[in-house]
Amino acid sequence: MSNILNKDAFILPEGVIYLDGNSLGPMPRAVAARVQTMLTDEWGEMLIRGWNTAGWMDQPIRVGNMVARIVGAPEGTVVMGDTLSIKVFQALASAVKLNPERRVILSDTGNFPSDLYMAEGLVGLLEQGYELRTVAPEDVVDAVDDSIAAVMLTEVDYRTGRKHDMKAVTKVVQAKGCVMIWDLAHSAGAVEVDLHGSNCEFAIGCTYKYLNGGPGAPAFIYVRPDLADHVQPALSGWLGHRQPFAFDLDYTPGAGIERMRVGTPPVIQLAALEVAMELWEGVDMSELRAESLKLQEQFIEEVERDVPQLVLASPCDTSIRGSQVSFRFKEGYAAMQALIDRGVIGDFRAPDIMRFGFTPLYLDAADISAAVAILADVMNNKLWDQDKYKVRSKVT
C-alpha cells in the first residue's frame, strides 16, 4: 500500500469513487470541527478581538508559508487572499510595469479562459497599444520575442492535462527579456513544483482543487524575493498598505509579499484551508507524483482495453502530463452524467472532454479498476443515451 494514501483523512460518501479532485477536492475530515471552533470560540466569543487574539490578520502569510512548501517557494514569498482571477490581474499588471517599453502579453490557447479574460480586461484599461497574443501551447517558445512584456501560462492544461516544462520555458522567456508568470491551478498539490529553482518572477494558483480548501477557497500569489520590495501592486488595497491602521490617505506599499494583499482576508475559508494544509506535512511530492502517474497509467490501460469508444486526449508521455486524464467522446456530457449517476464522479469540459483527476491521498488501484468497470458498463451498454443525461446544468 502507498505511503501517500490517507483515505480516512477525508469525508468520501459511501459508494462514490471521486475522480474530480482536479476541480474540487473533497473535504478533509478535520475541517468541520476547525471551522466550528472558529465560529463559536473565535468569532462567537472573541468578536472583533479575534483579529489579534486568534491571529486572523496573520492568516494570509501563515497559510501562504504552508502553500509555499508545496510549490517550492521560500518562506515569506507567498500570500493568500481573493480569487485566482484577482491574483492573475495583480501579477499581470505588476509584470507589464516591469517592462514598460513593451506592449504584448503572450499566452496560449490552452490557458484557462478566465486568465485570458483578465488579460483582455487589463489590456483594455491600459490601452496605449497593449495587446494579448495567444498561440498553441506547443508554439509558445517559438513565439517569444523582444516585443513581449510578459508571458502568462497555466503549467497544466485544464482540458487535456498537457504540462509545460516550467524551467525550460522560463529560461527561454527570460533570455528574451520577458517576465514570466505561471498559473499553478492544476499543479499545486498535484505535481512537483520548484518556483525558486525555475527563477520565474510571479506565480498564482487556487487552493480548492488538489489542496482541498473547499469551494471558494482563497487563491495565492508568489513574487520572486528580489522583486518583492519593488513590484507595483495595481490593486492597492488597504491591507497591502505598509501601515493599514495608520489610515493614511495616500497609499504606501507594504514590505515584500505583504504589498500583494488587497482586502480583508476570508477568515472562515482560511481556517478551513489551514487545517486542510496540515495534511501535507510530511508528504513527499515526488512520491505523490509517482503514485499519481501509476494510477493514471492503470486507468488509461484499462479504459483503452475495455472502452474503445473513448479517445485519449491527454499526452501519452507522463513527463508532460499533469495529474488528470482526459478522453474525448462526442456525447461526453451525457456519458459523464450517467457515470456520476452510478457513483463515479468526474467532469466534462466542452466540447467533448471527459476529465478524470487522480489524487493518491484518497485513491488506490482498486478504486481505479472499479471506476473503469462502471465506465465500461455505461459506454458499452449505451446507458448514457437517455434524455435526462443530456440536459445541461450550469456547472458541468
Side-chain angles (χ1 to χ4, degrees), residues 172-242:
V172 170
V173 166
Q174 293 177 337
K176 292 289 188 178
C178 316
V179 177
M180 186 74 234
I181 306 165
W182 286 105
D183 183 337
L184 305 179
H186 289 270
S187 304
V191 301
E192 293 176 88
V193 180
D194 182 11
L195 290 181
H196 178 70
S198 78
N199 200 45
C200 68
E201 285 83 359
F202 299 92
I204 62 269
C206 61
T207 60
Y208 48 80
K209 301 180 190 298
Y210 297 98
L211 298 182
N212 311 299
F220 63 87
I221 186 167
Y222 160 87
V223 179
R224 201 174 67 197
D226 62 303
L227 298 174
D229 281 320
H230 307 292
V231 295
Q232 299 178 48
L235 298 175
S236 46
W238 80 299
L239 287 186
H241 192 282
R242 186 170 293 270

Side-chain angles (χ1 to χ4, degrees), residues 316-385:
C316 293
D317 183 349
T318 58
S319 70
I320 57 170
R321 188 171 71 229
S323 202
Q324 73 183 62
V325 173
S326 299
F327 282 92
R328 295 188 186 279
F329 180 60
K330 184 179 180 180
E331 297 291 341
Y333 179 81
M336 183 57 73
Q337 302 319 300
L339 194 61
I340 291 171
D341 211 14
R342 288 157 178 79
V344 178
I345 301 180
D347 65 16
F348 171 81
R349 291 295 177 263
D352 60 357
I353 293 284
M354 298 174 69
R355 296 197 312 176
F356 304 90
F358 295 85
T359 307
L361 293 178
Y362 51 81
L363 291 171
D364 58 25
D367 293 322
I368 302 310
S369 291
V372 174
I374 295 170
L375 176 60
D377 185 40
V378 166
M379 297 301 300
N380 295 332
N381 293 302
K382 294 189 176 181
L383 302 180
W384 56 266
D385 195 9

Side-chain angles (χ1 to χ4, degrees), residues 38-56 267:
M38 184 273 154
L39 294 174
T40 56
D41 297 354
E42 295 179 14
W43 184 14
E45 294 295 325
M46 298 176 189
L47 298 169
I48 199 167
R49 293 172 294 177
W51 287 108
N52 293 317
T53 307
W56 297 344
V267 177

Side-chain angles (χ1 to χ4, degrees), residues 8-25:
D8 290 342
F10 296 89
I11 294 176
L12 295 164
E14 188 72 28
V16 167
I17 301 172
Y18 195 63
L19 301 178
D20 207 18
N22 55 308
S23 191
L24 176 68

Side-chain angles (χ1 to χ4, degrees), residues 5 12 25 30 45 57 97 162-163 221 245 250-251 275 315 373 386:
L5 191 65
L12 295 164
E45 294 295 325
M57 189 59 77
K97 284 186 178 182
R162 181 192 184 278
K163 179 176 173 290
I221 186 167
F245 284 88
D250 296 317
Y251 180 79
V275 74
Q386 301 179 47

Side-chain angles (χ1 to χ4, degrees), residues 65 89 137 146 199 205 270 278 285 346 386 396:
N65 284 333
F89 188 92
D146 57 11
N199 200 45
L270 278 169
E278 291 172 0
M285 288 304 298
Q386 301 179 47
T396 64

